[in-house]
Amino acid sequence: MSVTIHDIRWKASYLQVEYSSDTDDRLYLYRVKSKRFVPFQTIPMAEGRYLAQVNLVLGGGREVLPKGEWILCTKIDDDLLVDLDTLLAAKPHLITRIE
């Protein structure tokens, strides 16, 4: 999957990310310390672009997202986690993360 970020902005308590992708995977915020994924709400836009937004006050439930290191990411399908060869065939860019 290839994601291109075109814009990141705030709108009230929402973090909004405008992006395009060669697949329809959704974006997530990932908290490194707690290994927690918070999904963005994804809204299709024109010309293959999407608007992803997450309310940072309500987060993934009804609480403010805690401070810490958060990463903007996509999830890897569980089917690709069968073995390393299967994963790297689908996501060759991950070899640098493994090394």
Side-chain angles (χ1 to χ4, degrees), residues 24-56:
D24 61 352
D25 286 343
R26 38 187 316 198
L27 292 180
Y28 292 83
L29 281 177
Y30 175 75
R31 185 166 187 234
V32 175
K33 183 178 180 180
S34 62
K35 299 179 180 166
R36 174 182 174 197
F37 285 96
V38 175
F40 279 85
Q41 173 192 12
T42 303
I43 303 164
M45 298 173 63
E47 301 175 12
R49 287 192 180 196
Y50 300 92
L51 177 66
Q53 63 181 13
V54 64
N55 187 327
L56 298 180

Side-chain angles (χ1 to χ4, degrees), residues 2-3 8 27 29 42 49 51 66 71 75 78-79 82 90 92 96 98:
S2 173
V3 172
I8 298 176
L27 292 180
L29 281 177
T42 303
R49 287 192 180 196
L51 177 66
I71 299 171
K75 278 188 175 180
D78 289 339
D79 297 343
V82 175
T96 57
I98 295 169

